[in-house]
Amino acid sequence: MLDQVHDYDDSKSLTVTAATSKLVVEGVSKWFRTPRATVHALDNVSMQVSDGEVVCVVGPSGCGKSTLLDIIAGLTKPDAGRVLADGHPVTGPGRQRLVVFQEPSLFPWLDVFGNVMFGLGLCPELSSVERREIAHRYLALVGLEKFERAHVHELSGGMKQRVALARALAPDPQVLLMDEPFGALDAMTREHLYDDIQRIWSDSCKTIVFVTHNMREAACLVDRVLLMSKAPGKIIQGFDIPLPRPRSIYDVELVSHAGRIADSLRGTVGGGVPE
Amino acid sequence: MKRFVIVSAFFTMLLVVWELASESGRWSPVLFPSVVSVAQYLWGAMMDGTLFEAIRVTLQRLLVGYMIGVAIGLPLGVLASSSQISEDTLGALALGLQTLPSVCWVPFAVLWFGQTEGAMLFVVVMGTVWSVIIATNHGARTIPPIYARAARTMGSEGLHLWTMVMLPASLPFLVSGMKQGWAFAWRSLMAAEIFVTILTGFGLGQLLHYGRELNAMDQVIGAMVVIVLIGLLADRILFAPWERFLHRRWGTNVRARMLRPACTRTRCDFHS
Ligand SMILES: Nc1ncnc2c1ncn2[C@@H]1O[C@H](COP(=O)(O)OP(=O)(O)OP(=O)(O)O)[C@@H](O)[C@H]1O
Ligand SMILES: [Mg+2]
């Protein structure tokens, strides 16, 4: 089964798009050394994302998707290879690349409003009135305007994730890195957010890399899906999703795209998944 | 209100049992003074000023020693948490010396400093510093790294990162470390005051000590009551507001948990 999957080399088009590429990942490898074992998390991963493109990374659990996002964000140093943002090597985190983390990352000492204001407070170009106005707007967008003064521990898991989303969107970063941002949301809220998010993204023209385990979500939101193999993770296949926007998650064509990706993913896991 | 009634009923009952026991005449009033005689002693000591003077002297020693202990202990605790080597050396040293009851420092201090205020301070600092180091070290190791990671992606670094993220993130352990240190400072100061009999200041522990010398049980018990009350008050004034703040923000209050199901960490792994 694995032999059907050829190496997907994204660098072929590198020369063509390098000029317009927002993000370039070049031959990135990563090993984690723990006292018990050395884990080979990423193996020579190359990809690029052009300006305003929305790309999704899918792959089996533990294949290194979060590690890849960490490296793009500049939070983790790769052991080999490098990442370019706007043509400059990434040496550390910066507020042009905001991250929505997989695990809860809200600050418990701030309330919901304070959490959204944290990132805005680091934007010197905004006045304090503008900051407050933006924070209100994004909290309303994720449907939490009534919870502005709530403490973090008083929110449900899905609400926390929506606050994290608002916190990342509010400072208007050029690049958004999202690790399963809708994982803890119920289907209703999620579908609602898909519509809102497609609108925001087409308005603001952000470059987005996100990770999901939901193939229909991937097909609904992105221009291109990158499929990673199981650990050590490498990118083995790319799918273009050339559907017009806005897309509905129930669109027949979209579902067939999603099915195609899911089939390939099953191939990487190795011989189907026992029901 | 109901809570208040129950609490005051409890303590009234305690006092009544004590009074009845002492009035029963089974024990000599010299060894088992009545509530009234202790209250009379406290009243008298309050009126002639010895009590307030003793409280002032004791609190001054306590505060100075405690602040020195915290000022040394906090940075050393952060240092101990910073690497495995410092944990193995400094952390182990602190753990070892913390198990030493602080009264054991008294002979050492008296030999070094003589019967002086310095000896007193030394004992308090030694009592405080190790427990502050241990609590800080432990706490700093348990700050979830995700906070700093999230803040750094938003552009926070340097001073901003330390004051706006690391400091508030470490509040739970800072408060528990300072509280731990306070309890130990209080205990070691009492030990020092009882054993170091100097004339530069007459503290609560010395009141206790001379109560024994004079065979004045009402003075001994009165001083003990005051010591307990000060300990309680300090806890209420210095630490309770912080702890309430932390419980509210972090959602760690046990009672709040029972009213609402505990918030579970959400980590969703959807495997097909
Ligand atoms: N800090 C770390 N120390 C040691 N090993 C790590 C560390 N972070 C990740 N790994 C290992 O690297 C591999 C990739 O982890 P990663 O979190 O990137 O997976 P993932 O694709 O995001 O998985 P999931 O879909 O379950 O979130 C895993 O085998 C994991 O055990
Ligand atoms: Mg992950």
Side-chain angles (χ1 to χ4, degrees):
Chain A
M1 276 147 271
L2 272 175
D3 49 355
Q4 297 174 343
V5 198
H6 56 279
D7 253 24
Y8 175 78
D9 189 3
D10 205 33
S11 57
K12 278 195 292 277
S13 47
L14 195 72
T15 44
V16 186
T17 49
T20 55
S21 277
K22 189 76 186 168
L23 289 174
V24 180
V25 177
E26 275 178 6
V28 162
S29 298
K30 180 75 193 175
W31 287 267
F32 286 107
R33 283 164 205 88
T34 60
R36 265 172 292 115
T38 300
V39 180
H40 193 175
L42 290 176
D43 182 26
N44 196 16
V45 172
S46 295
M47 60 186 258
Q48 4 74 47
V49 185
S50 41
D51 204 358
E53 195 182 17
V54 183
V55 171
C56 172
V57 178
V58 299
S61 174
C63 72
K65 304 180 294 293
S66 301
T67 309
L68 179 61
L69 284 200
D70 266 9
I71 290 174
I72 296 177
L75 288 168
T76 304
K77 289 226 181 322
D79 292 318
R82 59 177 189 164
V83 176
L84 303 177
D86 293 318
H88 301 293
V90 168
T91 52
R95 70 183 175 87
Q96 285 316 324
R97 276 163 287 121
L98 280 193
V99 186
V100 178
F101 292 92
Q102 188 173 13
E103 65 261 52
S105 62
L106 298 177
F107 302 139
W109 57 92
L110 299 172
D111 60 11
V112 167
F113 190 72
N115 267 284
V116 178
M117 285 292 282
F118 186 93
L120 290 168
L122 289 155
C123 301
E125 68 277 9
L126 297 174
S127 73
S128 69
V129 178
E130 283 171 323
R131 285 179 191 151
R132 306 185 72 81
E133 196 262 317
I134 293 171
H136 287 304
R137 184 144 48 84
Y138 279 96
L139 278 170
L141 177 75
V142 295
L144 288 175
E145 65 273 42
K146 293 216 171 56
F147 289 88
E148 285 185 350
R149 290 296 157 205
H151 302 315
V152 170
H153 72 92
E154 295 164 352
L155 304 177
S156 72
M159 287 154 88
K160 282 183 200 151
Q161 222 154 6
R162 280 186 275 160
V163 178
L165 201 60
R167 179 173 76 172
L169 287 171
D172 194 27
Q174 293 168 11
V175 178
L176 206 51
L177 306 168
M178 307 201 290
D179 203 343
E180 298 182 36
F182 313 114
L185 300 183
D186 61 298
M188 275 269 292
T189 318
R190 210 187 293 189
E191 285 169 24
H192 209 82
L193 268 179
Y194 292 161
D195 298 341
D196 287 333
I197 273 178
Q198 291 190 60
R199 203 186 59 241
I200 308 172
W201 291 356
S202 62
D203 289 352
S204 61
C205 200
K206 288 192 200 316
T207 308
I208 295 161
V209 179
F210 90 104
V211 170
T212 180
H213 285 290
N214 184 331
M215 298 311 138
R216 287 193 16 218
E217 179 176 298
C220 178
L221 296 177
V222 307
D223 304 311
R224 195 149 52 96
V225 177
L226 298 174
L227 178 64
M228 282 177 82
S229 68
K230 64 181 175 204
K234 50 164 65 181
I235 293 177
I236 48 176
Q237 221 172 337
F239 302 87
D240 286 320
I241 315 279
L243 297 178
R245 291 169 198 269
R247 302 169 185 169
S248 151
I249 189 123
Y250 296 110
D251 185 82
V252 182
E253 249 186 292
L254 187 149
V255 173
S256 83
H257 275 291
R260 216 153 44 85
I261 305 165
D263 283 343
S264 309
L265 179 62
R266 221 163 282 142
T268 68
V269 179
V273 181
E275 292 296 317
Chain B
M1 196 59 212
K2 191 174 150 214
R3 242 172 97 201
F4 179 76
V5 171
I6 292 176
V7 169
S8 34
F10 172 77
F11 285 104
T12 316
M13 206 182 71
L14 221 59
L15 289 179
V16 167
V17 169
W18 172 5
E19 183 66 30
L20 288 180
S22 77
E23 272 172 22
S24 71
R26 289 182 54 136
W27 298 282
S28 145
V30 176
L31 294 183
F32 201 154
S34 68
V35 179
V36 179
S37 65
V38 171
Q40 268 167 352
Y41 160 74
L42 282 177
W43 182 253
M46 223 150 71
M47 283 297 124
D48 67 17
T50 49
L51 188 58
F52 289 122
E53 175 61 13
I55 290 176
R56 191 193 63 76
V57 167
T58 295
L59 283 186
Q60 187 181 341
R61 286 171 181 157
L62 182 67
L63 281 180
V64 173
Y66 174 67
M67 295 218 274
I68 296 176
V70 168
I72 298 174
L74 279 184
L76 284 184
V78 172
L79 182 68
S81 72
S82 63
S83 75
Q84 191 59 45
I85 291 286
S86 53
E87 157 76 21
D88 290 344
T89 51
L90 188 59
L93 179 74
L95 199 64
L97 289 178
Q98 201 246 345
T99 59
L100 187 68
S102 43
V103 68
C104 299
W105 285 104
V106 172
F108 185 102
V110 170
L111 285 180
W112 259 28
F113 296 93
Q115 301 274 350
T116 62
E117 287 288 328
M120 201 85 79
L121 271 185
F122 182 77
V123 174
V124 176
V125 170
M126 284 299 133
T128 315
V129 88
W130 310 115
S131 60
V132 174
I133 291 180
I134 288 170
T136 313
N137 176 14
H138 175 75
R141 283 172 186 277
T142 51
I143 303 181
I146 184 75
Y147 297 145
R149 278 155 45 87
R152 283 168 61 212
T153 62
M154 286 185 271
S156 169
E157 55 186 5
L159 190 65
H160 187 273
L161 184 66
W162 278 99
T163 54
M164 305 307 281
V165 180
M166 298 314 274
L167 187 68
S170 58
L171 267 186
F173 81 74
L174 278 186
V175 171
S176 74
M178 308 256 295
K179 189 170 169 175
Q180 174 97 285
W182 178 263
F184 277 91
W186 191 221
R187 280 162 180 66
S188 37
L189 177 61
M190 285 305 117
E193 286 195 340
I194 289 175
F195 288 103
V196 184
T197 47
I198 56 175
L199 300 175
T200 48
F202 200 77
L204 283 171
Q206 279 132 350
L207 214 59
L208 207 58
H209 176 75
Y210 287 108
R212 184 188 70 96
E213 304 258 287
L214 301 172
N215 250 337
M217 198 58 173
D218 49 358
Q219 178 173 342
V220 169
I221 294 182
M224 284 168 68
V225 169
V226 172
I227 290 169
V228 167
L229 287 181
I230 290 181
L232 273 178
L233 263 179
D235 189 72
R236 284 293 143 87
I237 294 170
L238 292 179
F239 299 107
W242 284 104
E243 286 179 331
R244 267 202 304 280
F245 171 81
L246 292 177
H247 287 323
R248 240 190 2 255
R249 286 300 165 102
W250 267 254
T252 44
N253 195 331
V254 186
R255 237 169 356 118
R257 271 230 186 111
M258 289 193 302
L259 294 175
R260 270 170 19 79
C263 354
T264 48
R265 309 188 102 232
T266 49
R267 197 192 149 96
C268 282
D269 284 2
F270 293 133
H271 309 267
S272 49

